[in-house]
Amino acid sequence: MESRFMTRAIELAQIAAQKGEVPVGAVVVKDGQIIGEGYNMRESKKNALSHAETEAINAACNYLNDWRLDDCTIYVTLEPCPMCAGAIINARIREVVFGAYDLSMGCMDSVTNIANLPFASGTTVYGGIKEDECREILTDFFKDVRK
């Protein structure tokens, strides 16, 4: 795990916040290089599927010209939801590194851990990385929204 990748995911979350999106950022890394990145774009795209993880996975698939993201790691500022956890498993991403825990929707540790199910991909999960920074971005965003 390299903190520079989580730092980039945090930068992407900040971009999302500036655009009025829930501030979540994600990067997909292979062989020490970012091959896909994204941030929440549900509001701007008017699409429930436009989460940070799905945007980053889509970019990585386009980069590799393959749907299989074996030997890749995804860094994301918030624990993946059920949809994103499923996308990560289906893309065969080997490792997930996330920042803040999502006690209401998190499906890689909090509510459940989809990676613990006997899927063939064998995804490993690391949570709480730069957790305070990731949580602060979300907390500040929702404070501003409530004003």
Side-chain angles (χ1 to χ4, degrees):
M1 273 179 288
E2 292 189 44
S3 67
R4 66 185 170 116
F5 299 127
M6 186 59 85
T7 298
R8 179 60 183 152
I10 290 168
E11 290 169 356
L12 292 165
Q14 291 166 336
I15 292 169
Q18 292 166 1
K19 294 184 176 199
E21 300 279 355
V22 173
V24 179
V27 297
V28 177
V29 175
K30 183 176 176 98
D31 299 327
Q33 176 185 349
I34 294 174
I35 62 167
E37 57 183 36
Y39 52 84
N40 269 352
M41 298 180 71
R42 291 186 303 172
E43 299 301 328
S44 59
K45 288 189 171 183
K46 306 294 185 214
N47 188 328
L49 304 178
S50 293
H51 287 207
E53 298 95 326
T54 57
E55 295 292 320
I57 289 168
N58 187 53
C61 289
N62 288 334
Y63 179 86
L64 293 177
N65 195 32
D66 196 350
W67 64 269
R68 293 173 191 87
L69 300 179
D70 313 75
D71 301 321
C72 289
T73 300
I74 189 166
Y75 291 77
V76 60
T77 58
L78 181 64
E79 181 181 359
C81 72
M83 176 184 70
C84 293
I88 289 165
I89 298 293
N90 280 305
R92 299 183 181 170
I93 292 175
R94 195 70 63 207
E95 291 182 322
V96 176
V97 179
F98 70 84
Y101 288 84
D102 185 345
L103 302 179
S104 62
M105 294 290 287
C107 284
M108 294 235 146
D109 192 24
S110 296
V111 176
T112 191
N113 188 341
I114 290 175
N116 284 341
L117 296 174
F119 296 112
S121 63
T123 302
T124 304
V125 179
Y126 303 96
I129 310 305
K130 293 195 175 195
E131 181 176 8
D132 292 339
E133 284 180 70
C134 294
R135 180 159 313 288
E136 183 178 355
I137 294 167
L138 288 160
T139 302
D140 290 348
F141 175 80
F142 285 111
K143 280 182 190 173
D144 289 343
V145 166
R146 290 182 187 104
K147 286 182 182 178

